[in-house]
Amino acid sequence: MAKESSTASVPRDGVISIIGPGMRVIGDCDTEGTLRIEGYVEGAVRAGKAVVMSKDGVFQGDVVTQDAIIGGKVTGTVVAESRLELQATCVIEGEIRARRIKLDEGGRVNGNVRTGEV
């Protein structure tokens, strides 16, 4: 009798993909789970669950996700269908659309901000 692989039963939304410090990604990233950015990304990002960016992360492009926590620099559009947290170390250059938003003191946003229905 064949045994099923244990990886087949792991829900994809529980997966965390990491772009580590010093790593550079040019191109689009797409995941059903969470994407953690500690390096540099240029392109479009779609994460089914969340995007988490450290204070050293740099992103150029568009982000679409449920929840986002941004601590680094983003140039582009950020769409958080549920919740967006902008930490004190963040710098956002571009458009933000989020159902709910939290901006820590010291965080900088240069662009349009729309809250409510996304």
Side-chain angles (χ1 to χ4, degrees):
M1 198 175 231
K3 195 171 188 177
E4 255 186 69
S5 171
S6 62
T7 59
S9 63
V10 175
R12 295 207 184 266
D13 65 350
V15 174
I16 298 175
S17 302
I18 300 173
I19 297 172
M23 187 171 181
R24 184 176 182 89
V25 174
I26 308 289
D28 298 346
C29 299
D30 191 350
T31 181
E32 294 300 316
T34 298
L35 178 64
R36 180 165 179 84
I37 301 171
E38 298 176 5
Y40 175 87
V41 176
E42 184 178 328
V45 166
R46 192 197 68 75
K49 188 164 176 94
V51 172
V52 178
M53 178 185 286
S54 73
K55 65 180 178 71
D56 297 321
V58 177
F59 179 81
Q60 292 186 3
D62 298 333
V63 176
V64 177
T65 187
Q66 284 294 315
D67 299 314
I69 300 172
I70 308 293
K73 181 172 182 176
V74 175
T75 304
T77 301
V78 178
V79 178
E81 295 170 353
S82 182
R83 181 177 184 275
L84 174 62
E85 179 180 330
L86 301 174
Q87 297 178 333
T89 55
C90 82
V91 177
I92 309 292
E93 300 277 345
E95 184 177 351
I96 293 175
R97 293 192 311 255
R99 185 175 307 250
R100 296 183 321 246
I101 189 170
K102 175 188 174 193
L103 175 60
D104 290 344
E105 183 176 345
R108 294 184 295 172
V109 176
N110 298 313
N112 297 323
V113 178
R114 292 177 44 198
T115 59
E117 288 298 315
V118 177

XYZ file of all heavy atoms in Angstrom:
857
model
N 0.839 -1.176 0.000
C 0.000 0.000 0.000
C 0.886 1.242 0.000
O 1.782 1.364 0.802
C -0.884 -0.042 1.245
C -2.067 0.846 1.171
S -3.089 0.582 2.618
C -4.604 0.337 1.807
N 0.638 2.167 -0.906
C 1.441 3.385 -1.008
C 1.064 4.358 0.094
O -0.100 4.507 0.439
C 1.229 4.042 -2.361
N 2.064 5.001 0.626
C 1.851 5.973 1.692
C 1.838 7.376 1.086
O 2.681 7.706 0.264
C 2.980 5.851 2.711
C 2.678 6.534 3.998
C 3.752 6.171 4.992
C 3.365 6.696 6.349
N 4.291 6.352 7.365
N 0.866 8.205 1.501
C 0.782 9.566 0.987
C 1.897 10.421 1.562
O 2.275 10.275 2.709
C -0.560 10.185 1.392
C -1.526 10.262 0.257
C -2.772 11.000 0.656
O -2.695 12.216 0.877
O -3.810 10.343 0.740
N 2.404 11.319 0.754
C 3.441 12.240 1.196
C 2.865 13.206 2.224
O 1.757 13.699 2.071
C 3.975 13.013 -0.004
O 4.814 14.049 0.432
N 3.634 13.482 3.283
C 3.147 14.386 4.326
C 3.088 15.828 3.835
O 2.370 16.643 4.391
C 4.042 14.299 5.561
O 5.356 14.712 5.231
N 3.832 16.176 2.786
C 3.787 17.549 2.277
C 2.487 17.844 1.549
O 2.111 18.992 1.410
C 4.979 17.830 1.329
O 4.923 16.900 0.253
C 6.292 17.747 2.058
N 1.796 16.822 1.097
C 0.536 17.035 0.393
C -0.541 17.569 1.328
O -1.457 18.238 0.898
C 0.071 15.740 -0.260
N -0.436 17.311 2.634
C -1.463 17.741 3.566
C -1.169 19.094 4.210
O -1.966 19.600 4.969
C -1.635 16.688 4.669
O -0.431 16.581 5.416
N -0.013 19.683 3.916
C 0.322 20.990 4.485
C -0.445 22.072 3.744
O -0.359 22.172 2.527
C 1.851 21.260 4.365
C 2.175 22.662 4.849
C 2.635 20.233 5.139
N -1.243 22.885 4.487
C -1.962 23.950 3.799
C -0.996 24.983 3.239
O -0.072 25.409 3.898
C -2.842 24.562 4.896
C -2.336 24.054 6.187
C -1.490 22.850 5.904
N -1.221 25.393 2.008
C -0.313 26.322 1.338
C -0.325 27.707 1.975
O 0.649 28.438 1.880
C -0.661 26.421 -0.134
C -0.430 25.118 -0.855
C -0.150 25.384 -2.307
N -0.016 24.137 -3.034
C 1.137 23.536 -3.257
N 2.238 24.045 -2.805
N 1.192 22.416 -3.929
N -1.439 28.104 2.620
C -1.472 29.427 3.219
C -0.634 29.513 4.486
O -0.376 30.577 4.996
C -2.908 29.890 3.478
C -3.637 29.043 4.505
O -3.107 27.983 4.883
O -4.733 29.433 4.910
N -0.162 28.379 5.007
C 0.702 28.365 6.180
C 2.174 28.448 5.826
O 3.030 28.470 6.689
N 2.498 28.520 4.547
C 3.873 28.551 4.085
C 4.408 29.983 4.155
O 3.727 30.916 3.774
C 3.968 28.020 2.634
C 5.367 28.186 2.085
C 3.527 26.577 2.578
N 5.653 30.139 4.656
C 6.306 31.440 4.687
C 7.502 31.391 3.756
O 8.397 30.572 3.921
C 6.756 31.812 6.117
C 5.550 31.901 7.041
C 7.533 33.131 6.101
C 5.908 32.149 8.492
N 7.507 32.266 2.761
C 8.634 32.395 1.838
C 9.459 33.591 2.283
O 8.905 34.632 2.635
C 8.134 32.608 0.418
O 7.298 31.534 0.034
N 10.795 33.448 2.252
C 11.670 34.500 2.758
C 12.639 34.956 1.674
O 13.310 34.130 1.054
C 12.462 34.020 3.994
C 11.498 33.626 5.100
C 13.427 35.103 4.465
C 12.155 32.978 6.296
N 12.696 36.260 1.475
C 13.726 36.886 0.642
C 14.670 37.519 1.636
O 14.370 38.557 2.223
C 13.107 37.901 -0.335
C 12.163 37.160 -1.283
C 14.202 38.643 -1.090
C 11.350 38.042 -2.171
N 15.789 36.845 1.876
C 16.694 37.200 2.956
C 17.550 38.417 2.690
O 17.608 38.930 1.566
N 18.265 38.872 3.732
C 19.158 40.016 3.595
C 20.219 39.736 2.528
O 20.758 38.638 2.466
C 19.804 40.155 4.973
C 18.980 39.330 5.889
C 18.279 38.314 5.064
N 20.496 40.728 1.705
C 21.489 40.563 0.646
C 20.950 39.898 -0.610
O 21.616 39.864 -1.629
N 19.727 39.373 -0.551
C 19.128 38.727 -1.716
C 18.419 39.775 -2.567
O 17.794 40.692 -2.060
C 18.130 37.663 -1.271
C 17.602 36.835 -2.386
S 16.649 35.463 -1.695
C 16.196 34.658 -3.193
N 18.532 39.616 -3.897
C 17.933 40.558 -4.842
C 17.052 39.766 -5.800
O 17.535 38.855 -6.461
C 19.060 41.264 -5.591
C 18.630 42.318 -6.537
C 19.893 42.980 -7.124
N 19.559 44.045 -8.015
C 19.388 45.300 -7.656
N 19.545 45.639 -6.402
N 19.063 46.220 -8.532
N 15.764 40.131 -5.867
C 14.813 39.457 -6.747
C 14.281 40.472 -7.744
O 13.743 41.511 -7.353
C 13.651 38.834 -5.949
C 12.605 38.258 -6.886
C 14.158 37.774 -4.998
N 14.455 40.173 -9.042
C 13.905 40.999 -10.104
C 12.847 40.144 -10.791
O 13.169 39.107 -11.373
C 14.974 41.413 -11.138
C 16.188 42.034 -10.463
C 14.373 42.322 -12.191
C 15.992 43.384 -9.871
N 11.588 40.537 -10.678
C 10.498 39.760 -11.258
C 9.341 39.663 -10.288
O 9.397 40.165 -9.168
N 8.283 39.011 -10.710
C 7.067 38.911 -9.915
C 7.150 37.755 -8.926
O 7.737 36.715 -9.213
C 5.856 38.711 -10.830
C 5.640 39.887 -11.768
O 6.261 40.942 -11.532
O 4.873 39.746 -12.727
N 6.542 37.957 -7.744
C 6.465 36.929 -6.704
C 4.992 36.662 -6.425
O 4.210 37.588 -6.258
C 7.141 37.396 -5.422
S 8.885 37.765 -5.593
N 4.628 35.389 -6.352
C 3.241 34.993 -6.136
C 3.217 33.822 -5.163
O 3.871 32.810 -5.400
C 2.617 34.595 -7.474
C 1.118 34.418 -7.407
O 0.558 34.411 -6.293
O 0.500 34.279 -8.468
N 2.496 33.975 -4.047
C 2.387 32.906 -3.066
C 0.994 32.915 -2.451
O 0.359 33.963 -2.353
C 3.457 33.030 -1.954
O 3.297 31.941 -1.038
C 3.332 34.335 -1.188
N 0.532 31.753 -2.050
C -0.749 31.654 -1.340
C -0.563 31.962 0.137
O -1.518 32.270 0.824
C -1.347 30.252 -1.513
C -1.754 29.932 -2.929
C -2.796 30.889 -3.468
O -3.763 31.205 -2.739
O -2.637 31.344 -4.613
N 0.657 31.891 0.617
C 0.944 32.096 2.038
C 1.461 33.486 2.331
O 0.942 34.487 1.852
N 2.556 33.527 3.127
C 3.160 34.773 3.583
C 4.519 34.954 2.927
O 5.273 33.998 2.792
C 3.323 34.747 5.123
O 2.031 34.645 5.710
C 4.006 35.997 5.640
N 4.834 36.182 2.555
C 6.139 36.522 1.998
C 6.822 37.479 2.953
O 6.263 38.525 3.298
C 6.005 37.162 0.621
C 7.315 37.596 -0.042
C 8.201 36.388 -0.328
C 7.040 38.364 -1.318
N 8.028 37.129 3.390
C 8.836 38.000 4.250
C 9.963 38.567 3.397
O 10.717 37.814 2.784
C 9.398 37.238 5.439
C 10.238 38.106 6.334
C 10.490 37.467 7.684
N 11.306 38.319 8.502
C 10.868 39.312 9.242
N 9.588 39.579 9.271
N 11.691 40.044 9.965
N 10.079 39.896 3.377
C 11.089 40.574 2.564
C 12.094 41.254 3.482
O 11.743 42.160 4.235
C 10.438 41.616 1.622
C 9.420 40.943 0.701
C 11.510 42.353 0.825
C 8.587 41.907 -0.110
N 13.341 40.779 3.400
C 14.438 41.395 4.148
C 15.507 41.912 3.192
O 16.454 42.548 3.616
C 15.036 40.386 5.122
C 14.043 39.921 6.162
C 14.592 38.835 7.078
O 15.785 38.505 6.966
O 13.819 38.335 7.899
N 15.358 41.620 1.902
C 16.303 42.042 0.878
C 15.660 43.044 -0.065
O 14.904 43.910 0.366
N 15.922 42.878 -1.373
C 15.456 43.812 -2.400
C 14.565 43.072 -3.385
O 14.926 41.995 -3.856
C 16.665 44.400 -3.139
C 16.302 45.295 -4.295
C 16.069 46.646 -4.094
C 16.187 44.787 -5.575
C 15.745 47.483 -5.162
C 15.860 45.613 -6.649
C 15.640 46.953 -6.431
O 15.309 47.760 -7.471
N 13.390 43.640 -3.680
C 12.472 43.055 -4.659
C 12.037 44.145 -5.623
O 11.643 45.240 -5.203
C 11.223 42.435 -3.994
C 10.252 41.914 -5.033
C 11.611 41.333 -3.026
N 12.102 43.820 -6.925
C 11.600 44.727 -7.960
C 10.638 43.935 -8.828
O 11.039 42.968 -9.475
C 12.759 45.255 -8.808
C 12.337 46.266 -9.845
C 13.519 46.810 -10.626
O 14.621 46.920 -10.053
O 13.328 47.107 -11.815
N 9.360 44.306 -8.792
C 8.338 43.593 -9.542
C 7.023 43.625 -8.795
O 6.854 44.378 -7.845
N 6.108 42.791 -9.200
C 4.798 42.712 -8.548
C 4.806 41.577 -7.534
O 5.396 40.530 -7.773
C 3.708 42.485 -9.589
N 4.145 41.789 -6.405
C 4.024 40.764 -5.372
C 2.559 40.541 -5.078
O 1.806 41.493 -4.868
C 4.768 41.176 -4.080
C 4.372 40.291 -2.916
C 6.267 41.127 -4.285
N 2.143 39.262 -5.066
C 0.814 38.885 -4.622
C 0.973 37.784 -3.595
O 1.565 36.745 -3.886
C -0.054 38.389 -5.782
C -1.533 38.285 -5.369
C -2.350 37.448 -6.307
N -1.984 36.044 -6.251
C -2.301 35.208 -5.261
N -2.954 35.619 -4.220
N -1.946 33.943 -5.312
N 0.486 38.040 -2.382
C 0.554 37.055 -1.312
C -0.851 36.850 -0.773
O -1.515 37.808 -0.368
C 1.497 37.520 -0.204
N -1.303 35.616 -0.768
C -2.654 35.307 -0.329
C -2.910 35.631 1.125
O -4.017 36.015 1.502
N -1.891 35.498 1.970
C -2.066 35.731 3.400
C -1.474 37.062 3.856
O -2.186 37.915 4.342
C -1.465 34.580 4.194
C -1.771 34.644 5.664
C -1.503 33.311 6.318
C -1.717 33.413 7.796
N -3.037 33.026 8.194
N -0.158 37.237 3.697
C 0.470 38.447 4.227
C 1.809 38.731 3.563
O 2.454 37.833 3.031
C 0.670 38.336 5.734
N 2.210 40.003 3.653
C 3.549 40.442 3.292
C 4.130 41.127 4.518
O 3.494 42.012 5.094
C 3.540 41.418 2.095
C 4.923 42.015 1.869
C 3.051 40.722 0.843
N 5.324 40.700 4.922
C 6.009 41.291 6.068
C 7.364 41.785 5.578
O 8.141 41.001 5.026
C 6.198 40.256 7.203
C 6.948 40.879 8.371
C 4.857 39.694 7.650
N 7.635 43.069 5.767
C 8.895 43.638 5.310
C 9.664 44.196 6.493
O 9.143 45.007 7.257
C 8.645 44.751 4.294
C 9.934 45.412 3.834
S 9.655 46.811 2.766
C 9.191 45.946 1.294
N 10.934 43.782 6.614
C 11.779 44.278 7.695
C 12.220 45.705 7.396
O 12.053 46.207 6.291
C 13.011 43.377 7.857
O 13.917 43.597 6.796
N 12.846 46.346 8.372
C 13.293 47.729 8.192
C 14.373 47.847 7.129
O 14.572 48.914 6.563
C 13.787 48.314 9.523
C 15.017 47.656 10.093
C 15.399 48.318 11.411
C 16.584 47.671 12.049
N 17.849 47.886 11.389
N 15.063 46.762 6.808
C 16.108 46.783 5.786
C 15.582 46.375 4.408
O 16.323 46.404 3.436
C 17.244 45.842 6.191
C 17.905 46.294 7.486
O 18.065 47.517 7.670
O 18.238 45.436 8.314
N 14.321 45.984 4.324
C 13.737 45.567 3.053
C 13.482 46.753 2.139
O 13.151 47.845 2.593
N 13.650 46.507 0.823
C 13.392 47.529 -0.190
C 12.548 46.879 -1.276
O 12.870 45.791 -1.755
C 14.701 48.076 -0.801
C 14.399 49.077 -1.906
C 15.575 48.708 0.273
N 11.472 47.555 -1.657
C 10.554 46.996 -2.644
C 10.176 48.060 -3.655
O 9.800 49.167 -3.275
C 9.297 46.449 -1.958
C 8.319 45.889 -2.919
C 8.470 44.607 -3.417
C 7.251 46.651 -3.380
C 7.576 44.104 -4.343
C 6.357 46.147 -4.294
C 6.520 44.868 -4.779
N 10.250 47.716 -4.943
C 9.796 48.608 -6.015
C 8.790 47.845 -6.852
O 9.151 46.837 -7.467
C 10.971 49.064 -6.885
C 11.925 49.968 -6.153
C 12.991 50.523 -7.068
O 12.999 50.293 -8.261
N 13.898 51.297 -6.489
N 7.545 48.280 -6.826
C 6.496 47.608 -7.583
C 5.171 47.684 -6.852
O 4.970 48.543 -6.005
N 4.281 46.764 -7.170
C 2.944 46.740 -6.581
C 2.776 45.512 -5.704
O 3.190 44.411 -6.078
C 1.881 46.738 -7.682
C 1.933 47.996 -8.534
O 2.385 49.042 -8.021
O 1.530 47.939 -9.705
N 2.131 45.710 -4.544
C 1.865 44.635 -3.586
C 0.361 44.483 -3.441
O -0.340 45.473 -3.231
C 2.458 44.962 -2.197
C 2.106 43.894 -1.192
C 3.951 45.153 -2.269
N -0.133 43.243 -3.517
C -1.534 42.937 -3.241
C -1.552 41.772 -2.266
O -0.987 40.711 -2.543
C -2.313 42.576 -4.524
C -3.749 42.202 -4.184
C -2.287 43.724 -5.516
N -2.207 41.957 -1.106
C -2.249 40.924 -0.078
C -3.428 41.176 0.863
O -4.097 42.203 0.777
C -0.923 40.900 0.716
O -0.921 39.777 1.597
C -0.708 42.182 1.494
N -3.658 40.243 1.780
C -4.675 40.429 2.817
C -4.168 41.379 3.898
O -4.793 42.372 4.204
C -5.041 39.077 3.460
C -5.933 38.215 2.619
C -7.305 38.836 2.442
O -7.916 39.321 3.390
N -7.788 38.843 1.221
N -3.019 41.038 4.497
C -2.427 41.812 5.581
C -0.993 42.156 5.211
O -0.305 41.343 4.588
C -2.418 41.012 6.888
C -3.804 40.620 7.354
O -4.687 41.490 7.344
O -4.002 39.455 7.725
N -0.548 43.336 5.634
C 0.835 43.727 5.373
C 1.393 44.469 6.575
O 0.694 45.249 7.221
C 0.931 44.598 4.127
N 2.662 44.181 6.855
C 3.417 44.906 7.869
C 4.667 45.410 7.150
O 5.467 44.614 6.659
C 3.798 44.010 9.061
C 2.545 43.463 9.727
C 4.661 44.788 10.055
C 2.808 42.418 10.795
N 4.813 46.729 7.073
C 5.894 47.331 6.308
C 6.823 48.098 7.247
O 6.384 49.003 7.956
C 5.356 48.313 5.233
C 4.284 47.645 4.357
C 6.502 48.875 4.409
C 4.763 46.533 3.482
N 8.094 47.717 7.233
C 9.091 48.411 8.041
C 10.172 49.051 7.193
O 10.969 49.824 7.690
N 10.216 48.732 5.904
C 11.276 49.217 5.014
C 10.770 50.249 4.033
O 9.805 50.962 4.305
N 11.411 50.292 2.854
C 11.076 51.296 1.833
C 10.305 50.653 0.694
O 10.744 49.651 0.135
C 12.342 51.945 1.290
C 12.025 52.996 0.259
C 13.214 53.793 -0.165
C 12.716 54.833 -1.172
N 13.702 55.732 -1.603
N 9.171 51.254 0.346
C 8.335 50.781 -0.757
C 8.122 51.929 -1.728
O 7.740 53.033 -1.321
C 6.964 50.268 -0.261
C 6.074 49.894 -1.430
C 7.132 49.094 0.681
N 8.376 51.658 -3.009
C 8.060 52.607 -4.072
C 7.058 51.912 -4.983
O 7.412 50.949 -5.664
C 9.322 52.993 -4.868
O 10.292 53.513 -3.960
C 8.999 54.029 -5.926
N 5.799 52.336 -4.939
C 4.759 51.694 -5.725
C 3.434 51.706 -4.992
O 3.209 52.503 -4.091
N 2.569 50.778 -5.356
C 1.225 50.687 -4.784
C 1.148 49.529 -3.800
O 1.620 48.434 -4.088
C 0.188 50.468 -5.901
O 0.267 51.561 -6.814
C -1.219 50.386 -5.347
N 0.555 49.778 -2.630
C 0.331 48.738 -1.627
C -1.174 48.599 -1.442
O -1.847 49.558 -1.063
C 0.992 49.084 -0.280
C 0.694 48.012 0.756
C 2.489 49.279 -0.441
N -1.698 47.398 -1.704
C -3.112 47.103 -1.505
C -3.204 46.018 -0.448
O -2.737 44.897 -0.652
C -3.793 46.636 -2.812
C -5.250 46.290 -2.552
C -3.675 47.696 -3.890
N -3.803 46.360 0.703
C -4.021 45.398 1.782
C -5.531 45.256 1.961
O -6.189 46.188 2.422
C -3.363 45.870 3.071
N -6.053 44.112 1.573
C -7.505 43.922 1.582
C -8.085 43.869 2.988
O -9.274 44.079 3.170
C -7.846 42.665 0.794
C -7.483 42.812 -0.679
C -7.579 41.516 -1.447
O -7.799 40.449 -0.839
O -7.419 41.573 -2.677
N -7.255 43.623 3.998
C -7.731 43.578 5.365
C -7.057 44.640 6.234
O -7.683 45.595 6.655
C -7.504 42.184 5.964
O -7.999 42.135 7.277
N -5.734 44.495 6.486
C -5.055 45.369 7.441
C -3.653 45.710 6.961
O -2.942 44.857 6.452
C -4.970 44.652 8.787
C -4.311 45.441 9.868
C -4.339 44.651 11.185
N -3.793 45.430 12.256
C -2.492 45.500 12.527
N -1.617 44.844 11.807
N -2.062 46.243 13.530
N -3.260 46.969 7.169
C -1.924 47.434 6.826
C -1.315 48.101 8.052
O -1.918 48.992 8.635
C -1.981 48.435 5.670
C -0.666 49.122 5.289
C 0.365 48.117 4.814
C -0.920 50.175 4.222
N -0.131 47.646 8.428
C 0.604 48.264 9.537
C 1.881 48.867 8.979
O 2.682 48.170 8.362
C 0.950 47.231 10.604
C 1.734 47.804 11.761
C 2.072 46.785 12.826
O 1.300 45.822 13.006
O 3.119 46.940 13.483
N 2.046 50.164 9.190
C 3.239 50.874 8.745
C 4.062 51.209 9.984
O 3.627 51.988 10.834
C 2.847 52.140 7.979
C 1.984 51.899 6.742
C 1.536 53.214 6.141
C 2.725 51.052 5.732
N 5.235 50.619 10.069
C 6.075 50.790 11.244
C 6.836 52.109 11.189
O 6.902 52.764 10.146
C 7.023 49.604 11.376
C 6.272 48.301 11.589
C 7.173 47.096 11.682
O 8.263 47.071 11.134
N 6.703 46.079 12.388
N 7.442 52.494 12.309
C 8.129 53.781 12.432
C 9.282 53.923 11.449
O 9.650 55.038 11.077
C 8.641 53.967 13.864
N 9.833 52.816 10.971
C 10.988 52.856 10.070
C 10.599 52.856 8.596
O 11.466 52.892 7.733
C 11.896 51.643 10.334
O 11.114 50.450 10.220
C 12.519 51.720 11.711
N 9.315 52.832 8.275
C 8.887 52.699 6.874
C 8.930 54.024 6.127
O 8.780 55.091 6.713
C 7.487 52.094 6.790
S 6.162 53.278 7.025
N 9.146 53.897 4.805
C 9.046 55.021 3.882
C 8.253 54.510 2.687
O 8.690 53.591 1.998
C 10.431 55.522 3.413
C 10.262 56.644 2.401
C 11.274 55.970 4.585
N 7.077 55.076 2.463
C 6.219 54.665 1.357
C 6.155 55.812 0.355
O 5.792 56.935 0.713
C 4.784 54.333 1.834
C 4.782 53.349 2.998
C 3.934 53.830 0.669
C 5.244 51.970 2.666
N 6.503 55.511 -0.887
C 6.417 56.475 -1.982
C 5.422 55.903 -2.979
O 5.772 55.022 -3.764
C 7.781 56.654 -2.672
C 8.885 57.149 -1.791
C 8.889 58.647 -1.626
O 8.211 59.337 -2.415
O 9.559 59.117 -0.706
N 4.161 56.332 -2.908
C 3.169 55.817 -3.831
C 1.800 55.732 -3.212
O 1.511 56.376 -2.206
N 0.966 54.905 -3.778
C -0.433 54.802 -3.368
C -0.628 53.677 -2.355
O -0.012 52.613 -2.452
C -1.298 54.533 -4.595
C -2.776 54.513 -4.288
C -3.628 54.312 -5.519
O -3.088 54.359 -6.639
O -4.836 54.105 -5.347
N -1.526 53.936 -1.386
C -1.909 52.931 -0.391
C -3.412 52.788 -0.434
O -4.144 53.775 -0.407
C -1.483 53.355 1.031
C 0.032 53.372 1.148
C -2.105 52.436 2.072
C 0.521 53.890 2.480
N -3.879 51.517 -0.499
C -5.304 51.212 -0.370
C -5.424 50.087 0.647
O -4.841 49.017 0.457
C -5.892 50.790 -1.710
C -5.913 51.915 -2.721
C -6.734 51.605 -3.951
N -6.432 50.321 -4.558
C -5.741 50.154 -5.679
N -5.246 51.190 -6.311
N -5.544 48.957 -6.175
N -6.161 50.340 1.720
C -6.304 49.337 2.782
C -7.641 49.520 3.486
O -8.137 50.635 3.621
C -5.168 49.457 3.791
N -8.195 48.408 3.930
C -9.445 48.466 4.703
C -9.187 49.169 6.037
O -9.929 50.047 6.447
C -9.985 47.061 4.941
C -11.329 47.045 5.628
C -11.857 45.635 5.733
N -11.845 45.008 4.418
C -12.926 44.718 3.708
N -14.102 44.992 4.184
N -12.827 44.156 2.536
N -8.111 48.758 6.720
C -7.709 49.379 7.991
C -6.222 49.676 7.912
O -5.469 48.927 7.295
C -7.967 48.436 9.167
C -9.412 48.121 9.394
C -9.591 47.236 10.634
N -8.549 46.234 10.756
C -8.754 44.929 10.664
N -9.942 44.458 10.432
N -7.762 44.088 10.819
N -5.796 50.757 8.573
C -4.386 51.134 8.532
C -3.924 51.595 9.907
O -4.683 52.212 10.648
C -4.150 52.240 7.472
C -2.666 52.487 7.263
C -4.858 53.508 7.843
C -2.363 53.373 6.076
N -2.681 51.237 10.222
C -2.042 51.701 11.454
C -0.694 52.278 11.051
O 0.104 51.593 10.413
C -1.842 50.550 12.432
C -1.070 50.950 13.668
C -0.715 49.752 14.517
C 0.182 50.198 15.662
N 0.803 49.070 16.316
N -0.442 53.532 11.407
C 0.819 54.192 11.095
C 1.504 54.572 12.397
O 0.970 55.369 13.166
C 0.583 55.430 10.228
C 1.799 56.307 9.919
C 2.876 55.520 9.183
C 1.378 57.517 9.105
N 2.664 53.954 12.646
C 3.428 54.287 13.847
C 4.088 55.648 13.678
O 4.434 56.058 12.565
C 4.511 53.232 14.108
C 3.936 51.894 14.552
O 2.750 51.853 14.943
O 4.678 50.895 14.499
N 4.287 56.341 14.801
C 4.941 57.637 14.781
C 6.338 57.495 14.192
O 7.100 56.601 14.572
C 5.038 58.193 16.205
C 5.628 59.571 16.269
C 5.629 60.129 17.681
O 4.937 59.588 18.551
O 6.330 61.113 17.897
N 6.658 58.341 13.213
C 7.955 58.285 12.547
C 7.870 57.691 11.155
O 8.737 57.927 10.323
N 6.835 56.890 10.889
C 6.651 56.322 9.558
C 6.318 57.430 8.566
O 5.645 58.400 8.914
N 6.804 57.287 7.316
C 6.581 58.336 6.320
C 5.822 57.786 5.131
O 6.142 56.711 4.625
C 7.909 58.915 5.856
C 8.630 59.655 6.962
C 9.891 60.298 6.474
N 10.835 59.247 6.065
C 11.976 59.484 5.454
N 12.319 60.716 5.143
N 12.785 58.500 5.130
N 4.822 58.558 4.700
C 4.031 58.200 3.522
C 3.965 59.424 2.623
O 3.540 60.494 3.056
C 2.597 57.763 3.911
C 1.771 57.495 2.668
C 2.631 56.547 4.817
N 4.420 59.261 1.376
C 4.350 60.322 0.374
C 3.524 59.797 -0.784
O 4.019 59.036 -1.612
C 5.755 60.711 -0.112
C 6.614 61.245 1.004
O 6.177 62.084 1.772
N 7.823 60.733 1.113
N 2.243 60.156 -0.813
C 1.361 59.671 -1.867
C -0.072 59.647 -1.387
O -0.417 60.188 -0.349
N -0.924 58.978 -2.149
C -2.347 58.884 -1.834
C -2.613 57.731 -0.873
O -2.047 56.657 -1.030
C -3.164 58.663 -3.114
C -3.046 59.828 -4.063
O -2.992 60.974 -3.637
N -3.012 59.535 -5.344
N -3.510 57.978 0.100
C -3.929 56.942 1.043
C -5.448 56.843 0.996
O -6.135 57.846 1.174
C -3.479 57.269 2.475
C -3.966 56.221 3.449
C -1.960 57.402 2.541
N -5.959 55.623 0.734
C -7.401 55.376 0.733
C -7.692 54.256 1.712
O -7.077 53.184 1.617
C -7.880 54.993 -0.660
C -7.779 56.163 -1.630
C -8.171 55.827 -3.039
N -9.378 55.027 -3.120
C -9.707 54.342 -4.200
N -8.935 54.344 -5.268
N -10.813 53.643 -4.226
N -8.605 54.491 2.643
C -8.985 53.472 3.606
C -10.476 53.161 3.447
O -11.228 53.911 2.842
C -8.710 53.917 5.053
O -9.445 55.112 5.319
C -7.242 54.155 5.276
N -10.870 52.042 4.024
C -12.251 51.592 3.908
C -12.314 50.402 2.970
O -11.393 49.601 2.893
N -13.393 50.302 2.207
C -13.545 49.198 1.265
C -12.451 49.237 0.215
O -12.158 50.282 -0.336
C -14.918 49.257 0.591
C -16.060 48.881 1.498
C -15.967 47.457 1.999
O -15.682 46.551 1.203
O -16.174 47.246 3.205
N -11.854 48.084 -0.037
C -10.769 47.994 -1.032
C -11.314 47.380 -2.304
O -11.959 46.386 -2.297
C -9.605 47.147 -0.478
C -8.520 47.006 -1.534
C -9.062 47.787 0.774
